Amino acid sequence: MSTLTIEQIAVGYGDSIIIDGLDVTIPENKITTIIGPNGCGKSTLLKTISRLLKAQKGSVYLDGKAIHQLSTKDIAKRMAILPQTTETPSGLTVYELVSYGRFPYQKGFHSMKKEDVEAVQWALEVTGVTDFSDRPVEALSGGQRQRVWIAMALAQETEILVLDEPTTYLDLAHQLDILLLLKSLNEKENRTIVMVLHDLNHASRFSDYLIAMKDGAIVTEGTPNEVMTAENMEAVFDIQAIMTECPLSNHPICLTYQSSKGV
Amino acid sequence: MSRTKNMTEQDSSQTIKVKTKSKPITGVLVLLIGIIGLIFAIGLSISFGAADIDLMTVWSAVFSFNGDLTSHQIIQEIRLPRVLGAAIIGACFSVAGAIMQGMTRNPLADSGLLGLNAGAAFMVAISLSFFPGLSYQYFLFFSFAGAAMSTIIVFGIGSMSRLGLTPMRLVLAGAAVTALLTSLSQGIAIHFDLEQDLAFWYAGDVSRATWENLEYMFPWVLIAFIGALFLSRSITLLSLGEEIAIGLGQRPTLIKIAGFIVVLILAGIAVSMVGAVSFVGLLIPHLTRFLVGHDYRWIIPNSIVVGSLFMVIADLCARMMNPPNETPIGALIAVIGVPFFLYIARKGGKGL
């Protein structure tokens, strides 16, 4: 059980406030995707949720408790984060990197316990990277590497997964792989997933809940059917979108679009 | 989460063969070989010198000291403290370098290259000029303060840029601060007629180690090493990036403050003893990382041993090259250090 509620937060970098007075509740056991144009504050919101940024006002609540009052190590057992950019240290093998996901459960110089090894093996297995667990992470392709980082987050065994643009820099097939993996984690294990995606059609197809942001505020939120409308696309992205239905998910998708500002 | 547990059990029963890398075994092996090598190098270093002393005499001087023998006197009073000093200093520079490289994700980090050593040496120059005759104890504090001062300046300059603290920018700031503080120290030295005394701080000299100095610095070294080992796990996580470290339940700011206190103590001690020697803290952590992998729980203890061994050998070489004169140890190390620095810099600052 975990509810993530965001109440009246104001966040920014230094003096520039990006989000001011935002409220939202992340539905439990669902996939929630934050969408919006560049610079709308979606990454900032995600970073605030995952305590990478501290809200200047307001707070993020995990089960009713303010997140900055909880021990960060306890949060690490409940919420795993995949940042937008990850830099791979050289010489680290896949197995080693994924086993770092067990750190929140370890103390001092203690090595991996049986349940730690099992959690790591499971994470390697579901992300399909078991075969190269002995290879250095830097030797892998971008898609494989992203799966390894996800495996590390999974090894944390948390109810909540927070991912910032997990499919960026990946080709079509690898994007799909990652999103199908997240979908199955959500369906089979009821993981709550919160992420930022740039691809609207992916967001619509794989999410249960969408949050559309613009200029640091939420324009609209709801199911993909509610959010993915031509009117909302106009309001959020300033585009005239031609919407249709995805034959695979029955969610609305954007077929093509043109600028609202005229050609 | 019960479903996760079920899946875990199912999966592990399907006998997934995941080979776990035996990094801890390598770590212990390097540690053991290093310690054996260190003991041997220390023996060799003691036996070599103006008065030729064989290894058997070294052994008996250490373990059954006889004050009537001149050779035993030389060993106990001059050579033993010197070689122990070299070993400890090597370890200090190496651990300081390892911590900085891990915390700042900067493969070029070294207390010399980032200006800490120059800061410590500057304060040493101040203390020699204005408070001559200070005991080593106080001297040490000046050294700490100097290292702290230049850390603040270097990181201050480095972070003024909007692009943040890239490895190269930090090294440049370090070089600028080093140049400034070195010329200031030299100015002070000329004014107070201390050129001779100060020259060695820039060349590096291990011969100042006495039992008295060693006694003063030992508790500090011990505290710093324990602190470093205590922090090692967190440094490993920090070396994966700050966001990843937070995600895994670490508190980067706290770790960085603690880490820098340890670094300041180590660099301060090392400089107060041998002077502003660069590159040891760059070389040794890279070498140990290559040997034992990326986990700082292994890098730090191994850096202590490998760093000591390196410094003892370097000191031995410095004395053997042109006897009875000593080649400045700082220059000797730079001969290896500079090409290595260029190699790491060419890799584009990547490699951590």
Side-chain angles (χ1 to χ4, degrees):
Chain A
M1 278 289 285
S2 65
T3 11
L4 263 178
T5 27
I6 291 97
E7 275 177 26
Q8 280 300 311
I9 54 160
V11 253
Y13 304 88
D15 286 339
S16 64
I17 298 289
I18 293 172
I19 295 173
D20 199 358
L22 183 146
D23 291 287
V24 68
T25 298
I26 306 295
E28 213 174 305
N29 308 333
K30 296 255 182 342
I31 297 182
T32 301
T33 303
I34 309 169
I35 55 172
N38 291 334
C40 70
K42 53 190 188 304
S43 265
T44 308
L45 175 59
L46 204 72
K47 281 182 180 167
T48 316
I49 291 173
S50 53
R51 78 195 181 295
L52 297 177
L53 281 178
K54 193 174 181 295
Q56 290 162 7
K57 271 184 258 159
S59 192
V60 177
Y61 296 91
L62 184 60
D63 284 342
K65 288 178 200 120
I67 208 160
H68 56 263
Q69 281 169 352
L70 293 167
S71 132
T72 178
K73 205 164 176 176
D74 288 341
I75 301 172
K77 293 176 190 166
R78 310 192 48 195
M79 182 201 289
I81 306 170
L82 182 65
Q84 193 173 348
T85 46
T86 47
E87 255 183 73
T88 316
S90 71
L92 208 59
T93 66
V94 170
Y95 186 87
E96 285 170 320
L97 181 63
V98 175
S99 59
Y100 286 145
R102 298 304 296 172
F103 265 97
Y105 296 91
Q106 295 165 353
K107 270 189 174 167
F109 268 72
H110 292 289
S111 49
M112 303 258 287
K113 292 196 199 75
K114 188 167 168 281
E115 67 252 35
D116 295 323
V117 174
E118 282 173 0
V120 171
Q121 291 186 344
W122 170 80
L124 292 167
E125 193 63 23
V126 288
T127 49
V129 294
T130 309
D131 286 345
F132 23 84
S133 60
D134 271 346
R135 299 248 298 271
V137 182
E138 57 194 331
L140 304 179
S141 73
Q144 291 167 334
R145 218 178 280 176
Q146 191 68 327
R147 300 174 83 92
V148 171
W149 284 106
I150 292 176
M152 188 190 91
L154 290 184
Q156 262 175 272
E157 291 194 312
T158 57
E159 312 103 281
I160 307 167
L161 275 174
V162 180
L163 309 100
D164 198 350
E165 296 187 26
T167 57
T168 310
Y169 308 120
L170 300 180
D171 64 41
L172 284 179
H174 286 104
Q175 288 185 20
L176 189 64
D177 273 356
I178 298 288
L179 292 167
L180 287 171
L181 168 64
L182 294 175
K183 189 86 189 161
S184 82
L185 284 168
N186 165 256
E187 282 171 354
K188 285 188 195 148
E189 304 183 35
N190 291 319
R191 307 260 183 155
T192 304
I193 293 172
V194 195
M195 60 183 165
V196 165
L197 286 180
H198 260 299
D199 188 314
L200 288 178
N201 292 345
H202 277 161
S204 174
R205 177 172 160 194
F206 290 98
S207 311
D208 304 304
Y209 200 77
L210 292 177
I211 299 171
M213 289 181 71
K214 189 182 185 181
D215 299 330
I218 292 175
V219 178
T220 175
E221 57 182 303
T223 63
N225 282 322
E226 289 160 1
V227 174
M228 291 287 286
T229 62
E231 297 78 56
N232 284 336
M233 294 302 103
E234 168 101 51
V236 176
F237 293 99
D238 287 325
I239 53 168
Q240 290 183 340
I242 296 158
M243 306 302 292
T244 179
E245 196 187 85
C246 167
L248 297 172
S249 65
N250 298 329
H251 289 176
I253 52 172
C254 167
L255 185 62
T256 186
Y257 59 95
Q258 62 181 355
S259 172
S260 300
K261 293 161 193 154
V263 186
Chain B
M1 291 310 290
S2 58
R3 297 185 68 165
T4 313
K5 287 282 182 299
N6 290 338
M7 266 196 87
T8 309
E9 276 156 23
Q10 272 171 27
D11 283 351
S12 59
S13 64
Q14 287 165 10
T15 61
I16 311 157
K17 286 266 177 344
V18 181
K19 269 191 283 169
T20 30
K21 271 246 169 173
S22 48
K23 281 283 167 61
I25 294 172
T26 329
V28 172
L29 208 67
V30 173
L31 215 55
L32 282 177
I33 294 172
I35 290 171
I36 294 167
L38 181 62
I39 292 169
F40 186 71
I42 287 178
L44 208 64
S45 175
I46 294 174
S47 80
F48 180 84
D52 233 348
I53 298 169
D54 60 52
L55 281 174
M56 282 310 293
T57 319
V58 172
W59 181 270
S60 62
V62 174
F63 294 102
S64 51
F65 176 68
N66 181 351
D68 295 336
L69 293 171
T70 326
S71 59
H72 283 203
Q73 290 269 2
I74 293 172
I75 291 169
Q76 278 285 347
E77 290 309 314
I78 301 168
R79 294 195 187 168
L80 194 57
R82 178 187 179 130
V83 74
L84 289 181
I88 293 172
I89 292 317
C92 288
F93 277 133
S94 306
V95 172
I99 294 176
M100 286 199 290
Q101 287 173 17
M103 282 193 322
T104 60
R105 292 165 60 82
N106 182 346
L108 297 171
D110 165 62
S111 62
L113 294 171
L114 296 195
L116 271 71
N117 293 1
F122 173 70
M123 285 307 277
V124 163
I126 299 257
S127 70
L128 277 179
S129 313
F130 296 98
F131 316 99
L134 264 191
S135 75
Y136 181 72
Q137 218 177 341
Y138 294 102
F139 213 61
L140 206 55
F141 280 101
F142 273 97
S143 196
F144 291 157
M149 175 189 74
S150 51
T151 307
I152 293 165
I153 301 174
V154 169
F155 280 81
I157 295 175
S159 57
M160 274 195 305
S161 155
R162 280 201 56 213
L163 294 167
L165 291 162
T166 66
M168 273 304 173
R169 189 163 290 119
L170 268 185
V171 172
L172 285 176
V177 169
T178 300
L180 172 72
L181 293 177
T182 306
S183 44
L184 281 179
S185 315
Q186 278 165 354
I188 293 171
I190 291 167
H191 189 259
F192 286 88
D193 242 357
L194 288 167
E195 295 102 313
Q196 283 295 327
D197 297 289
L198 270 182
F200 94 87
W201 255 288
Y202 291 97
D205 181 356
V206 191
S207 68
R208 281 176 40 95
T210 62
W211 284 119
E212 205 195 351
N213 293 353
L214 288 179
E215 265 169 38
Y216 277 131
M217 71 186 230
F218 193 70
W220 288 101
V221 174
L222 203 65
I223 290 168
F225 283 173
I226 291 170
L229 288 172
F230 196 69
L231 286 172
S232 60
R233 220 170 75 96
S234 304
I235 294 170
T236 307
L237 296 187
L238 212 50
S239 71
L240 297 174
E242 220 161 284
E243 297 189 336
I244 294 281
I246 294 174
L248 293 172
Q250 297 291 313
R251 290 199 272 173
T253 317
L254 220 61
I255 299 162
K256 282 184 175 173
I257 292 171
F260 264 101
I261 291 172
V262 172
V263 167
L264 294 179
I265 292 175
L266 291 172
I269 286 169
V271 172
S272 73
M273 191 66 102
V274 297
V277 174
S278 292
F279 298 111
V280 180
L282 175 75
L283 282 164
I284 304 302
H286 278 282
L287 179 63
T288 20
R289 200 175 293 116
F290 173 74
L291 292 171
V292 303
H294 194 82
D295 193 334
Y296 280 81
R297 284 180 293 182
W298 290 106
I299 293 176
I300 287 175
N302 276 288
S303 288
I304 294 178
V305 174
V306 179
S308 309
L309 178 61
F310 176 82
M311 203 66 169
V312 169
I313 293 174
D315 176 47
L316 185 60
C317 292
R319 289 189 290 135
M320 278 169 69
M321 276 173 90
N322 184 23
N325 299 316
E326 285 183 20
T327 312
I329 196 165
L332 193 75
I333 291 170
V335 170
I336 315 168
V338 171
F340 187 76
F341 171 83
L342 294 174
Y343 165 72
I344 299 287
R346 250 187 81 89
K347 277 170 56 175
K350 283 210 150 195
L352 270 195

